[in-house]
Amino acid sequence: MDPIEMQERFESELYSAQIIFQILDECIFDEKTKYRIKHARPFFNTMYVLIVDSLCARIIRLFDPATQGRNNMHENFCVEMIEGVANKRIIKDLENTAVKKLKRYRDKHLAHADLKTITEELPPHQEIKDMISIAIDALHRVNDTILIHNGNPDTRGRRVVTRTTAQFNEIMTYGAFLLEHKDSDEYRSVLQDFHEWHREKEGY
């Protein structure tokens, strides 16, 4: 694969994962703003699990071997391929430990229902999320390496700014506020207006 093509594809994979990871942090489990989701905690707990599992599967495939399958006939787009082009080992030992744990989780739980693996052996999702963070940092360094290899030393794009989550947070906060005050005479008219607005939108 052409190194420029490789860089563009790698950036696309990395930045998509980075955005999802930041949204996970900003919208769902910010400790300071958990009051926003307390009325819908089961929903957001489920979303948290689904997003962490999805991110794990998405990221860890980039750490698969460059070739696999019978006689190594199948080629993967991965970190090993970029290390080969740059002629440099990029992933550090600490990061390799996190990657190995993510691979084990993917192989034993996400990709296959391993008969010998019991739920108690699986790491909690917070631990998986922490390891994903380490893996994403490693991937940013891999991306820096291919950028420099392609003659672009500017790595200011190391952290992608997410699409704004302000509107989402405002909606969640407003909803939490109304639910807190649903039995209050002071806000009863606002709630009645809301129900009327909702019926109109639904076309009743």
Side-chain angles (χ1 to χ4, degrees):
M1 181 184 279
D2 175 75
I4 297 294
E5 231 183 297
M6 188 180 287
Q7 175 195 319
E8 288 173 353
R9 178 165 175 188
F10 195 81
E11 282 181 341
S12 174
E13 294 276 357
L14 170 59
Y15 291 170
S16 295
Q18 179 72 47
I19 285 168
I20 293 167
F21 189 83
Q22 286 179 238
I23 287 173
L24 181 68
D25 264 356
E26 290 171 17
C27 292
I28 297 181
F29 277 84
D30 182 340
E31 289 292 332
K32 295 177 184 174
T33 57
K34 277 194 173 179
Y35 63 87
R36 287 184 185 135
I37 65 166
K38 70 178 182 178
H39 297 287
R41 194 170 296 281
F43 170 80
F44 279 99
N45 284 344
T46 302
M47 283 296 296
Y48 177 75
V49 169
L50 291 173
I51 293 173
V52 170
D53 282 355
S54 172
L55 264 177
C56 176
R58 179 174 199 140
I59 285 169
I60 207 59
R61 63 192 176 142
L62 295 172
F63 292 94
D64 281 339
T67 58
Q68 65 184 64
R70 189 173 293 174
N71 301 320
N72 288 328
M73 291 297 288
H74 179 74
E75 288 187 302
N76 289 322
F77 180 77
C78 60
V79 168
E80 192 178 297
M81 179 186 283
I82 291 173
E83 287 182 327
V85 168
N87 197 24
K88 181 181 181 182
R89 184 175 179 267
I90 305 166
I91 306 302
K92 298 174 182 175
D93 290 340
L94 171 66
E95 294 159 345
N96 263 325
T97 301
V99 166
K100 282 176 186 173
K101 288 180 180 177
L102 288 174
K103 277 188 179 179
R104 185 177 186 280
Y105 181 71
R106 189 264 314 265
D107 294 344
K108 300 289 184 183
H109 179 62
L110 298 180
H112 309 284
D114 191 290
L115 187 62
K116 294 179 181 177
T117 303
I118 56 174
T119 308
E120 287 75 17
E121 292 177 346
L122 297 171
H125 276 81
Q126 181 59 50
E127 189 178 327
I128 297 291
K129 179 176 172 283
D130 292 342
M131 289 186 286
I132 287 171
S133 181
I134 293 170
I136 286 177
D137 282 340
L139 291 174
H140 273 290
R141 227 178 41 261
V142 173
N143 192 54
D144 291 349
T145 302
I146 193 67
L147 274 170
I148 292 164
H149 175 81
N150 286 339
N152 181 5
D154 182 3
T155 58
R156 284 177 296 177
R158 186 171 172 77
R159 281 290 173 269
V160 181
V161 178
T162 66
R163 294 182 295 268
T164 179
T165 54
Q167 218 170 25
F168 172 85
N169 286 330
E170 188 176 354
I171 291 166
M172 291 300 298
T173 306
Y174 187 57
F177 173 80
L178 285 180
L179 281 167
E180 283 280 317
H181 297 87
K182 63 183 169 60
D183 297 321
S184 167
D185 290 339
E186 188 179 351
Y187 297 101
R188 188 161 294 156
S189 64
V190 176
L191 288 165
Q192 287 170 345
D193 289 345
F194 160 71
H195 289 301
E196 185 61 37
W197 174 85
H198 181 62
R199 282 195 294 272
E200 284 177 12
K201 293 293 181 187
E202 290 287 306
Y204 295 136

